Amino acid sequence: MPELPEVETVRRGLEPALVGARFSRVTLRRPNLRFAFPERFAERLEGRRVRALARRAKYLTAHLDSGETLVMHLGMSGRFDVSLPDGRNLSPGDFYLEGALGTPKHDHVVMAMETGATITYNDVRRFGFMDLVPTDGLAASRHFAGMGIEPLSEALTGEAVARLFRHRITPLKSALLDQRLIAGLGNIYVCEALHRAGLHPEAPAGSLATESGRPTPKARLLARVIRDVLTEAVAAGGSTLRDYAHTDGSAGAFQHAFRVYDRVGEPCPAPGCRGVIGRMVQAGRSTFYCAVCQPAPARGPGPRRAASGAAK
């Protein structure tokens, strides 16, 4: 599934074609994606102008002059193609399954803009969705109610980490993936951030707060490296795990900067570390880490769970 940097890449690619433009015609080629389209979906879009295109966690939000917001989620295989009046075709944040690119049977929504641009939503697996929500009720809508803070915002500080994680005994990686605490973090970038911060994925989340609730130095470091990792990934155009390209057709490149993710058996890249990247499974998902520079938390008596093998 696309993670936050990939969705932000899509937003930046779509922005020039959407913002300030008016929908002239919207064609739905099926009644639903993951969910049914809202009632009179095409009719409510046609004639409306896009005032702004934003991102909340892994969602795209297009704010309309009607007082509604178009909420879009890419699911696992959703992608947008943009056909411009000058004949150029762009694929901003192009996520797709190998062999399925460009198959018209998966073009489910076609948005013709008054500028002459056409934006087509293609989704092989149909796990994505679109919805229309009153803009003034967006934060309280079913999509965003209870959602945590944005990891690329100024809200993510050491103090925020300590406040959110205080007294929690859940493993640190699980806490970071909890969208009710910090919204938009995914498996890849959590592994990368924990390695940079020198924190073991199984450390209790509450260990980042002192008894008085103040942030530990590691809490401040983690907040900083989360922003650093995400910012670098956005600048690189995201990560290519299957097939991915952004607006100029080039591939997202952050996977070449992975320090631990999917690098089992390779030397740890941390300066002065002689460890080797290992893998364990947490809540059914692969976790990649270095046992040397991310030391395991102290444990009570009893056998430790063995790390898993190298297969993902």
Side-chain angles (χ1 to χ4, degrees):
M1 182 177 291
E3 294 196 21
L4 186 153
E6 290 77 51
V7 177
E8 176 62 19
T9 300
V10 174
R11 188 198 67 78
R12 295 183 183 189
L14 284 176
E15 192 171 43
L18 272 180
V19 175
R22 195 182 297 274
F23 294 99
S24 59
R25 183 174 180 79
V26 176
T27 303
L28 307 180
R29 294 181 173 170
R30 56 177 303 108
N32 65 301
L33 293 170
R34 191 195 314 180
F35 311 116
F37 289 107
E39 185 178 356
R40 300 172 38 250
F41 181 67
E43 180 183 340
R44 288 156 67 185
L45 286 177
E46 290 174 353
R48 310 322 310 185
R49 189 180 302 278
V50 179
R51 288 181 169 171
L53 182 64
R55 178 196 51 74
R56 177 72 166 108
K58 300 177 186 178
Y59 293 76
L60 296 171
T61 57
H63 304 286
L64 311 177
D65 62 2
S66 63
E68 291 190 302
T69 291
L70 171 61
V71 178
M72 299 172 282
H73 195 284
L74 297 171
M76 294 185 68
S77 59
R79 53 183 274 260
F80 288 97
D81 293 321
V82 181
S83 177
L84 299 178
D86 62 9
R88 287 184 297 148
N89 293 297
L90 307 177
S91 295
D94 191 4
F95 294 88
Y96 54 89
L97 294 176
E98 186 174 0
L101 175 62
T103 51
K105 68 179 180 179
H106 300 303
D107 290 344
H108 304 309
V109 182
V110 181
M111 304 172 179
M113 313 304 291
E114 65 174 0
T115 58
T118 299
I119 299 170
T120 302
Y121 179 72
N122 180 290
D123 195 341
V124 177
R125 294 185 173 180
R126 298 201 310 274
F127 286 167
F129 64 84
M130 296 185 185
D131 197 5
L132 282 169
V133 176
T135 302
D136 59 8
L138 191 62
S141 71
R142 65 189 180 98
H143 306 299
F144 304 117
M147 186 174 281
I149 62 176
E150 276 287 322
L152 274 177
S153 74
E154 296 299 319
L156 183 61
T157 62
E159 286 74 13
V161 169
R163 182 183 71 254
L164 292 170
F165 292 175
R166 188 183 185 191
H167 300 316
R168 293 181 181 269
I169 61 173
T170 185
L172 184 51
K173 185 190 175 192
S174 299
L176 289 169
L177 291 174
D178 187 339
Q179 302 300 295
R180 298 167 299 179
L181 302 177
I182 302 174
L185 292 181
N187 193 39
I188 295 173
Y189 300 106
V190 167
C191 289
E192 293 296 307
L194 287 174
H195 179 259
R196 292 194 188 191
L199 287 164
H200 195 279
E202 292 183 321
S207 64
L208 294 185
T210 66
E211 290 186 5
S212 64
R214 298 290 299 167
T216 65
K218 284 290 190 178
R220 298 185 189 279
L221 176 60
L222 179 62
R224 185 171 74 248
V225 299
I226 286 173
R227 289 195 302 272
D228 289 346
V229 167
L230 294 177
T231 299
E232 291 170 22
V234 170
S239 303
T240 303
L241 296 184
R242 283 201 173 110
D243 293 308
Y244 166 63
H246 45 98
T247 48
D248 63 1
S250 60
F254 191 73
Q255 74 278 6
H256 301 302
F258 288 165
R259 299 187 184 186
V260 292
Y261 188 84
D262 204 23
R263 295 190 181 278
V264 173
E266 296 184 20
C268 176
C273 180
R274 297 190 177 186
V276 174
I277 304 305
R279 172 187 174 271
M280 69 174 74
V281 175
Q282 294 178 281
R285 308 181 77 176
S286 293
T287 296
F288 301 93
Y289 70 107
C290 171
V292 175
C293 61
Q294 295 171 260
R299 295 175 180 267
R304 291 192 58 180
R305 177 171 57 85
S308 301
K312 288 191 294 181

